[in-house]
Amino acid sequence: SYEVNAQVKKRNQQVKQELGVDIVLLKVGGMQSAYEELSPILSGDMYVYDVIGCYQYFDLGLALGDSVGCFYNLLNMPEGVTNYLDLDAPYWSRTLLDTLAYKGVAFYVTGDLSQAYTGAMFLSYVNSVMWAKFADKIAALEQSGGYSDVYDIVNNGYWTLDLWIELAKMCYQDDGDEEMDYEDQCGFMTYDQQLNNIMVDMLVAGSNVRYGGLDSNGTPTIEIYSKRNNEFYNKLYTLLCESKTVTIPWIGGADGEEGTYIMDIFAGGKVLLNVNTLAQAEEYLADMKDDFYVMPLPMLSRDQFNANSASKGYTTQLGDSVSQYAICTSIGDDKIPAVTATLELMAYYSMKWVTPSYYETALKERYTRDPKNAEMIDMIKAGIYTDFAFIWSSELGNITWNLRSQYHEGTKVDNNLRSWDRNATGLLTTKLLPRIEEAFYVEK
């Protein structure tokens, strides 16, 4: 928005004035272009960039392979050189930093400096007009705990996949053509092109599903095959395949058919529940005639509920487009003070000016309908969690795509999880970890 951009300019001018530095954005690349464009520069140790903002999903591998040694270890900068990064400051995400770190070595950091750090939070949207229409029936559901008010349901831990399954069944109404399509009224809607269906990732995040963990030595492990993940897979199948969830073609078309964006359909008032990122409200729901609620993602079950935590047990992750920042070793140690001071001050003023403008004004105030809903956004943010295997998915056989592409194979759940676990474990131990060991312990 104009206001957010104005704050970004204000931040950059303030940093320039305080430090006497120039802040120049040399190039903006495409979603999958950085690896091809930057690899020759980084592997050749050419001084072109001071700092690189990497797309989390596709570009983390720039620290590995032929580019080994191209980024400074942020947890152990050169001795005797002043480093101004305070990685424990609230404007940096220590959670993401530590998840990407490997035995005391980390190349990437993010936080308020990236607007996507706030905007890429996964959450759910609820059409409040439709909700009011079904309120009495919702209160009669066992899965709602007897509540009809959506805030009461969320605050008492009944906002679960079990409830969503029932809501998907309850709200469906055909438009008369006897075909389940985007013209129908429905409780939930998804895409028929499974591979690109990031909505599945969002439901994964709400259920606090883990793809990996750490052993007693701090070495990453794969944990796809588990009782919890098995339970989630079954509920995902029930919601998307057995509960009147409407399936429509993927955006841009599937098999030559023109697709429609679900956020546009939701804005039209025919869908009760939707999942997406927080930033989508600003772009797609500004002119929505019906009111809507911003709510957490549904939990796997009430066992996940924790009334005493800031998030109440609701969890979320950040979309894989979050920028992760790395400092290039080609700048030379003598420039570390200026570069780290610039990053630190930019992150600080981002937290002070940019994030409030984006988060408090553009999102919480402009697109939430009452103070309670703004509190929901704070609760969602408190539930952000990270997962080493999730973040490194592109290096582990794209494991986050498995459920996207095979959620419809409900009867094969156990064998699928075992197979995905074996494949990812093999890639982790024979390919990713050796490459990380090489990159994280290189002397240059």
Side-chain angles (χ1 to χ4, degrees):
S1 69
Y2 172 81
E3 183 175 346
V4 175
N5 290 337
Q7 295 300 325
V8 170
K9 292 179 180 178
K10 175 183 175 182
R11 174 200 68 193
N12 290 354
Q13 289 289 41
Q14 184 68 25
V15 173
K16 289 179 180 180
Q17 179 180 331
E18 288 190 33
L19 299 180
V21 297
D22 286 329
I23 300 172
V24 180
L25 179 61
L26 293 180
K27 187 171 185 179
V28 177
M31 185 172 67
Q32 299 184 49
S33 64
Y35 201 91
E36 180 179 352
E37 293 181 13
L38 294 176
S39 289
I41 294 172
L42 298 173
S43 61
D45 201 26
M46 294 180 282
Y47 175 45
V48 179
Y49 304 104
D50 296 321
V51 177
I52 291 175
C54 295
Y55 191 105
Q56 181 173 281
Y57 189 85
F58 294 106
D59 302 337
L60 295 181
L62 284 167
L64 313 178
D66 294 336
S67 303
V68 162
C70 62
F71 301 139
Y72 279 106
N73 174 12
L74 302 177
L75 296 178
N76 187 21
M77 298 290 275
E79 293 185 11
V81 178
T82 303
N83 163 31
Y84 289 99
L85 290 179
D86 179 5
L87 299 175
D88 291 318
Y91 37 82
W92 297 118
S93 173
R94 188 74 199 203
T95 300
L96 271 168
L97 178 90
D98 289 341
T99 300
L100 283 170
Y102 182 71
K103 298 182 179 179
V105 184
F107 300 126
Y108 298 101
V109 67
T110 192
D112 287 87
L113 188 54
S114 170
Q115 290 179 37
Y117 181 68
T118 297
M121 285 193 302
F122 296 151
L123 42 73
S124 64
Y125 294 97
V126 182
N127 182 313
S128 60
V129 174
M130 281 186 67
W131 185 273
K133 176 183 175 181
F134 288 96
D136 291 342
K137 291 183 178 180
I138 292 170
L141 293 172
E142 177 184 353
Q143 292 81 2
S144 72
Y147 297 104
S148 62
D149 182 85
V150 67
Y151 294 113
D152 289 338
I153 289 174
V154 170
N155 287 324
N156 288 282
Y158 288 96
W159 194 241
T160 65
L161 282 178
D162 296 317
L163 176 62
W164 276 43
I165 287 168
E166 296 305 313
L167 293 176
K169 296 176 184 176
M170 175 189 296
C171 297
Y172 179 76
Q173 183 176 332
D174 185 74
D175 66 343
D177 63 4
E178 298 183 355
E179 293 185 9
M180 292 182 66
D181 57 30
Y182 63 84
E183 297 292 343
D184 299 337
Q185 173 188 281
C186 65
F188 191 56
M189 183 176 288
T190 191
Y191 295 109
D192 64 5
Q193 214 281 8
Q194 288 103 359
L195 184 60
N196 291 317
N197 195 353
I198 194 174
M199 298 173 77
V200 172
D201 294 1
M202 298 173 191
L203 295 172
V204 163
S207 292
N208 199 14
V209 166
R210 306 285 172 153
Y211 292 111
L214 298 173
D215 64 17
S216 58
N217 297 316
T219 301
T221 59
I222 298 298
E223 299 176 2
I224 297 173
Y225 183 69
S226 69
K227 181 179 178 181
R228 181 182 186 83
N229 289 4
N230 195 304
E231 180 184 358
F232 169 75
Y233 194 170
N234 278 295
K235 289 186 179 182
L236 180 71
Y237 174 79
T238 301
L239 173 63
L240 299 186
C241 302
E242 296 184 333
S243 303
K244 291 292 185 179
T245 289
V246 173
T247 301
I248 68 170
W250 174 250
I251 314 161
D255 298 325
E257 185 177 0
E258 185 65 23
T260 305
Y261 192 37
I262 287 177
M263 287 296 287
D264 286 325
I265 301 173
F266 180 81
K270 291 189 176 182
V271 184
L272 176 67
L273 305 168
N274 192 16
V275 292
N276 216 299
T277 62
L278 181 59
Q280 296 294 293
E282 186 174 13
E283 184 170 357
Y284 291 95
L285 304 184
D287 299 321
M288 182 174 175
K289 293 181 180 179
D290 293 347
D291 278 348
F292 64 88
Y293 301 114
V294 176
M295 291 291 166
L297 296 163
M299 297 186 292
L300 178 62
S301 68
R302 292 203 73 233
D303 292 341
Q304 195 174 317
F305 181 61
N306 181 355
N308 297 319
S309 72
S311 70
K312 296 195 174 180
Y314 293 99
T315 56
T316 190
Q317 294 202 37
L318 301 175
D320 54 29
S321 60
V322 172
S323 295
Q324 296 276 356
Y325 299 95
I327 301 174
C328 300
T329 52
S330 58
I331 68 171
D333 294 358
D334 60 320
K335 290 189 177 181
I336 289 177
V339 171
T340 56
T342 302
L343 279 175
E344 184 73 6
L345 208 54
M346 287 180 72
Y348 168 73
Y349 284 122
S350 293
M351 180 186 70
K352 185 176 180 180
W353 293 332
V354 180
T355 298
S357 177
Y358 177 72
Y359 181 57
E360 301 288 344
T361 304
L363 295 174
K364 283 180 64 176
E365 293 181 12
R366 187 175 175 189
Y367 299 115
T368 58
R369 286 1 197 198
D370 54 53
K372 286 184 180 180
N373 212 181
E375 292 172 4
M376 286 290 117
I377 297 180
D378 291 328
M379 188 171 76
I380 294 165
K381 194 172 185 180
I384 294 174
Y385 76 96
T386 58
D387 180 335
F388 176 92
F390 177 90
I391 294 177
W392 281 103
S393 174
S394 63
E395 302 285 336
L396 295 170
N398 296 314
I399 59 175
T400 55
W401 294 0
N402 290 336
L403 284 177
R404 293 189 200 178
S405 60
Q406 298 183 47
Y407 67 75
H408 57 294
E409 299 185 10
T411 58
K412 300 179 180 179
V413 54
D414 196 75
N415 286 337
N416 280 346
L417 291 177
R418 288 178 185 269
S419 175
W420 300 340
D421 196 295
R422 286 194 300 269
N423 292 341
T425 297
L427 290 171
L428 176 70
T429 57
T430 64
K431 293 187 177 181
L432 180 57
L433 283 185
R435 294 177 72 201
I436 287 178
E437 291 276 359
E438 178 188 14
F440 281 40
Y441 291 99
V442 66
E443 294 290 340
K444 187 171 182 178

